[in-house]
Amino acid sequence: MNIKEKYMKKALAQAKIAYDKLEVPVGAIIVKDGRIIARAFNQKETKVDTTKHAEILAIQKASKRLKSWRLIDCEMYVTLEPCPMCAGAIIQSRIKKVYYGALDEKTGAVGSKLNLFRDFKFNHRVEFENSILQKECQNILQDFFKELRSQKSASINKEWVYKWKVGGEIMSKQALSKKVIHLCIISIIIIGIVFTAILFILKYDENGETNMPFLVSKISVISTVDGQDVENPEAKWDKTINQNNDIYVYVEKNVQYNKTETIASVAIENFKVEKNSNKGELKFYKQTQDEKILYKNTDEYLIDSIEYSGAKTSNSKKMEISNQGGIIEFRCANNNIGTYKSNEDTEINYGELLKKIGMNEEDLNATFSFDLTIKLNSGKSFKAENIQLTIPNDNLINEGKVGREINNPEGIVFKRIEN
């Protein structure tokens, strides 16, 4: 038995629990780093809730366990091919890969009726593999419905002419058939509406607003190296070394937007940092009020968010942006990445400091992300979440200064948050 079959056995154990509770026997588990972090089974009948599928319940448990809705690098094992609702939830939760057993020819959304994982260009692509212990997964479903049919047959009056009591009236088989057909047509229409709505929601989640009044047209990063003096009478030069990354976010009018809108404010918040090395500490700063000094890496200017107010003209010192568009400026500094001491050098070449203290590019690798909100004077607000930026370090060790410009950055999706 390989590892995939081992985990599918665990999902089948959950399906057996559903079977014993007279639920359609579908089970699911979620695995991260070789450990099962969530187990669930179908509870639609017990909870009287259409959304209580095994996949949905497993996602909820895993998110609670990881304290995050993003289930990055997680894998799901489920005994039955996911339906459109569950496939959509899997995409939304950023699950890496799905393994399923039995095919669902009626409502399967990962290959049978359609394939949401493969045929649609969402912002997250889910890998999948089917037919894991397919026979066992099919058998438990077939056994369940066979037993269910036999129980129903035993309770039905087997006359040649069937009669059914509905609303106090006795209805013939022919009349009942017509009513069933009408109900089926209505059900198909409702399913079509729901499916269309799901596709619309998923498309909006990927593309967001398609005609924004303002856009992020460019992001620039200028990375430099400097040193802060440390009092040390025994050394001619004693400095802590910082890597400073000055960020410029360009917000411009969308020439395709045909209505008049002006900016009330632009805010950047929810900074998140990922580093490969434990050298240094990434912190974020606003500009100083001093016209001669752009930034100081001191607690006085430390920020966890920054907001520019709309004005007639842009002024970064006052944290004002033109209501027609402008630039948001802040610093991401990697402080105290090393120490430089010397009694021999007559002067300091900051372009060579990183080389002198033995730094390499891997020590400087880091990324950070942030959310950006644009509020308009009309009352509308738009938000783009998780804008990711990689700090440039190519040739920084040799040259001491590098820059990067990202024109029309991809992956920035704005959504309406307030009318």
Side-chain angles (χ1 to χ4, degrees):
M1 180 184 298
N2 58 38
I3 191 67
K4 299 175 189 176
E5 293 173 343
K6 174 187 173 183
Y7 284 135
M8 190 60 75
K9 285 284 188 182
K10 300 293 184 182
L12 277 166
Q14 293 297 305
K16 182 62 170 60
I17 297 174
Y19 190 114
D20 295 338
K21 293 179 178 292
L22 300 181
E23 294 276 357
V24 174
V26 178
I29 65 167
I30 294 178
V31 178
K32 181 176 176 62
D33 299 328
R35 294 186 300 108
I36 298 175
I37 62 171
R39 308 169 192 256
F41 56 89
N42 183 30
Q43 298 186 51
K44 187 165 68 172
E45 300 296 335
T46 306
K47 301 291 186 181
V48 195
D49 188 338
T50 309
T51 65
K52 299 300 185 184
H53 287 197
E55 299 96 316
I56 300 293
L57 295 172
I59 288 171
Q60 291 173 348
K61 290 182 179 180
S63 295
K64 186 175 182 180
R65 176 80 174 270
L66 298 179
K67 297 180 180 180
S68 172
W69 62 265
R70 292 183 176 90
L71 303 183
I72 296 171
D73 293 329
C74 290
E75 296 178 337
M76 175 181 285
Y77 291 77
V78 59
T79 57
L80 181 64
E81 179 182 357
C83 69
M85 175 183 70
C86 294
I90 289 167
I91 294 170
Q92 289 292 308
S93 61
R94 308 296 195 267
I95 286 176
K96 180 181 180 181
K97 188 168 184 177
V98 172
Y99 300 87
Y100 65 89
L103 304 181
D104 185 352
E105 300 294 343
K106 294 182 178 180
T107 61
V110 191
S112 294
K113 282 296 183 182
L114 74 162
N115 197 325
L116 290 177
F117 291 172
R118 183 190 62 199
D119 298 336
F120 296 83
K121 294 182 179 179
F122 299 124
N123 62 332
H124 174 70
R125 182 173 290 275
V126 181
E127 302 173 18
F128 66 96
E129 184 174 342
N130 58 25
S131 302
I132 309 298
L133 296 183
Q134 182 177 12
K135 186 174 180 181
E136 289 91 331
C137 294
Q138 286 175 337
N139 286 345
I140 193 171
L141 288 164
Q142 291 170 352
D143 292 344
F144 174 81
F145 288 112
K146 183 178 179 181
E147 182 176 338
L148 192 64
R149 284 192 295 270
S150 65
Q151 291 176 358
K152 287 184 177 181
S153 297
S155 64
I156 295 176
N157 185 12
K158 298 182 179 179
E159 297 180 1
W160 183 76
V161 177
Y162 286 80
K163 292 189 176 181
W164 193 271
K165 190 172 183 180
V166 180
E169 298 180 0
I170 302 299
M171 186 177 294
S172 68
K173 182 180 179 182
Q174 184 178 11
L176 179 62
S177 298
K178 289 183 179 179
K179 190 172 185 68
V180 170
I181 291 173
H182 291 160
L183 290 173
C184 288
I185 293 172
I186 293 171
S187 299
I188 291 171
I189 293 172
I190 292 173
I191 291 172
I193 293 172
V194 172
F195 181 69
T196 302
I198 290 173
L199 288 180
F200 177 80
I201 292 170
L202 291 173
K203 185 176 180 180
Y204 184 80
D205 184 70
E206 177 187 8
N207 299 324
E209 294 289 330
T210 56
N211 191 23
M212 281 279 296
F214 292 88
L215 300 171
V216 175
S217 61
K218 182 170 68 174
I219 299 177
S220 296
V221 185
I222 297 176
S223 185
T224 58
V225 178
D226 74 2
Q228 291 181 319
D229 290 325
V230 177
E231 291 187 11
N232 184 355
E234 297 180 358
K236 182 177 181 179
W237 303 106
D238 191 346
K239 292 178 177 289
T240 58
I241 310 304
N242 303 326
Q243 178 193 4
N244 298 321
N245 305 281
D246 296 343
I247 315 298
Y248 303 86
V249 180
Y250 292 73
V251 178
E252 294 185 358
K253 262 185 174 293
N254 181 6
V255 295
Q256 305 295 328
Y257 193 79
N258 55 13
K259 296 180 182 179
T260 301
E261 295 281 6
T262 55
I263 293 175
S265 66
V266 179
I268 291 178
E269 57 189 351
N270 196 24
F271 290 111
K272 295 179 181 178
V273 174
E274 291 185 10
K275 291 183 62 180
N276 294 340
S277 169
N278 59 1
K279 294 186 178 180
E281 182 180 8
L282 282 180
K283 292 186 176 181
F284 298 89
Y285 299 92
K286 64 181 180 180
Q287 288 190 4
T288 71
Q289 300 297 312
D290 191 334
E291 293 296 333
K292 296 180 179 180
I293 301 175
L294 199 58
Y295 290 99
K296 284 184 178 180
N297 296 7
T298 61
D299 291 345
E300 179 183 357
Y301 302 101
L302 197 63
I303 59 171
D304 55 17
S305 64
I306 187 169
E307 182 171 0
Y308 274 49
S309 301
K312 289 185 178 180
T313 59
S314 295
N315 187 326
S316 60
K317 292 292 184 181
K318 295 180 179 180
M319 291 198 300
E320 293 178 344
I321 184 172
S322 166
N323 58 23
Q324 301 298 309
I327 305 173
I328 306 297
E329 303 178 31
F330 62 95
R331 168 173 284 183
C332 173
N334 195 3
N335 291 331
N336 197 17
I337 56 178
T339 302
Y340 168 73
K341 294 181 181 180
S342 175
N343 286 314
E344 299 176 357
D345 292 343
T346 56
E347 60 181 19
I348 294 179
N349 182 348
Y350 285 97
E352 297 180 352
L353 278 180
L354 294 180
K355 188 184 297 184
K356 286 179 177 291
I357 65 174
M359 296 292 289
N360 57 57
E361 288 189 1
E362 290 184 358
D363 294 329
L364 301 176
N365 285 341
T367 61
F368 69 92
S369 64
F370 56 88
D371 300 343
L372 188 147
T373 302
I374 300 175
K375 293 184 179 180
L376 306 180
N377 287 309
S378 64
K380 299 175 183 176
S381 294
F382 302 89
K383 186 175 185 178
E385 296 183 340
N386 197 34
I387 300 174
Q388 296 192 356
L389 198 60
T390 299
I391 294 175
N393 57 24
D394 301 338
N395 295 324
L396 182 63
I397 293 175
N398 294 324
E399 299 180 6
K401 181 178 181 179
V402 294
R404 176 182 295 167
E405 283 193 354
I406 307 171
N407 293 300
N408 300 315
E410 298 180 353
I412 299 180
V413 177
F414 279 97
K415 296 179 185 177
R416 180 85 66 89
I417 59 172
E418 189 177 311
N419 291 321

